Amino acid sequence: MMERKYQLVAWTENSADTEKARLYLLPSLESEVKASLFNDLKAIHQEEYRSNGFISLDFAQRGIRAYENMARFEILTGHFGTGIRYLFFAARFCNGKLRHEFVRLCNEALRLAKKYRREDVLNERTPKMILEIYYDHVAA
């Protein structure tokens, strides 16, 4: 009989609680997953470049989804600051028709920054710029 060998490459913690869930991966597997997510972001950037910055509604929704997927992965794997940054990058794709998405993404980023004590991210250039628009919008 042939002996099988197994290697643990990923495991979860608190998977029943979405707020505390954590995913642990071997570094090589984490790199593979990130590469796939980066390819999605690369495609978004290439399309944005080809369209000279014009962002249609469909393209904006795909951009939001790609950045939000990356944010969720980063947060799930314990890279909270990076995940929060990606939520702000997702908010950058929101246009007038996606105002509700803009507010939702900013609210989520603010909530996570407070939860994970990463308010320092809010003082970085892009998050700060997005938050200025957000505060103007919610004050109106």
Side-chain angles (χ1 to χ4, degrees):
M1 185 174 224
M2 200 158 118
E3 185 178 321
R4 292 185 185 195
K5 293 183 180 184
Y6 298 94
Q7 179 181 5
L8 182 64
V9 295
W11 63 98
T12 60
E13 187 176 276
N14 298 319
S15 60
D17 183 353
T18 58
E19 284 294 311
K20 295 180 183 177
R22 188 74 203 282
L23 175 64
Y24 298 92
L25 304 165
L26 287 181
S28 59
L29 181 58
E30 186 172 338
S31 293
E32 273 186 54
V33 174
K34 275 188 181 181
S36 173
L37 294 167
F38 276 128
N39 284 339
D40 293 344
L41 296 178
K42 182 180 174 184
I44 293 295
H45 284 282
Q46 288 173 337
E47 189 172 334
E48 184 178 23
Y49 178 77
R50 279 193 304 270
S51 67
N52 294 321
F54 174 74
I55 299 176
S56 68
L57 182 60
D58 177 60
F59 177 69
Q61 290 170 327
R62 286 188 293 127
I64 291 166
R65 192 169 37 255
Y67 274 101
E68 201 168 7
N69 287 341
M70 182 62 100
R72 300 282 172 241
F73 178 76
E74 292 289 354
I75 291 165
L76 192 57
T77 55
H79 307 151
F80 307 118
T82 305
I84 293 164
R85 286 179 193 97
Y86 279 118
L87 288 174
F88 283 113
F89 295 151
R92 184 179 135 286
F93 278 89
C94 295
N95 58 26
K97 292 183 179 183
L98 296 171
R99 266 179 270 158
H100 61 286
E101 286 292 303
F102 179 80
V103 171
R104 179 186 65 80
L105 290 163
C106 289
N107 284 338
E108 180 74 0
L110 289 168
R111 184 184 73 77
L112 292 172
K114 183 176 181 178
K115 176 182 177 180
Y116 295 116
R117 297 185 182 136
R118 290 303 315 262
E119 289 94 346
D120 59 299
V121 172
L122 306 179
N123 293 318
E124 295 173 3
R125 188 174 150 257
T126 299
K128 196 173 192 173
M129 179 185 70
I130 299 289
L131 284 173
E132 286 176 10
I133 297 166
Y134 168 77
Y135 290 132
D136 286 345
H137 179 73
V138 295

